[in-house]
Amino acid sequence: LTYVDGINRGLVTSAPPLVSRAFQELSSGMIALNEAEKLSTVPFPMPYAQMLKLMLLIYSITAPVLLAIHTDLPRCVGYSFVSVLLYWGVHYVAIELETPFGDDPNDLPL
């Protein structure tokens, strides 16, 4: 039973402006659904993702070295560990957000 069938059978007894607004909201919902499906099917550019991972690896190697040159050992260990951990954490969050719909525990239902 669709909304139009309910109107034709007399089950929906609302004023025409209210029915028009209901159709407008249904249309907005369908547009949002189509945009979400489009978002889930457009792949992230692979060269860009590879370049980001390479830059993270270079940063993971050079940050401790540069911090060791400019700071003392305890601060070097703390600063390099925290900064590298945060950048890799942002990277893995971006990987999870890259595919927002699916069967994984963190995915949205579609």
Side-chain angles (χ1 to χ4, degrees):
L1 184 68
T2 64
Y3 198 71
V4 175
D5 290 336
I7 293 171
N8 291 337
R9 291 182 184 174
L11 298 174
V12 178
T13 57
S14 299
L18 296 176
V19 174
S20 171
R21 181 66 181 177
F23 281 125
Q24 182 180 2
E25 291 298 321
L26 287 171
S27 173
S28 297
M30 286 303 298
I31 290 172
L33 177 67
N34 288 332
E35 291 294 321
E37 287 176 349
K38 193 185 320 179
L39 176 70
S40 68
T41 57
V42 174
F44 194 76
M46 189 62 178
Y48 186 74
Q50 289 175 337
M51 191 58 157
L52 283 176
K53 189 168 275 194
L54 177 67
M55 290 171 64
L56 275 172
L57 287 171
I58 291 170
Y59 179 78
S60 299
I61 294 168
T62 58
V65 173
L66 292 174
L67 282 169
I69 293 170
H70 294 291
T71 62
D72 58 338
L73 185 63
R75 283 193 289 174
C76 168
V77 172
Y79 291 162
S80 62
F81 176 75
V82 169
S83 67
V84 169
L85 179 73
L86 289 176
Y87 278 120
W88 279 102
V90 168
H91 174 69
Y92 285 115
V93 166
I95 288 173
E96 277 294 319
L97 292 176
E98 183 179 347
T99 54
F101 307 107
D103 297 332
D104 294 339
N106 292 329
D107 288 342
L108 299 170
L110 184 64

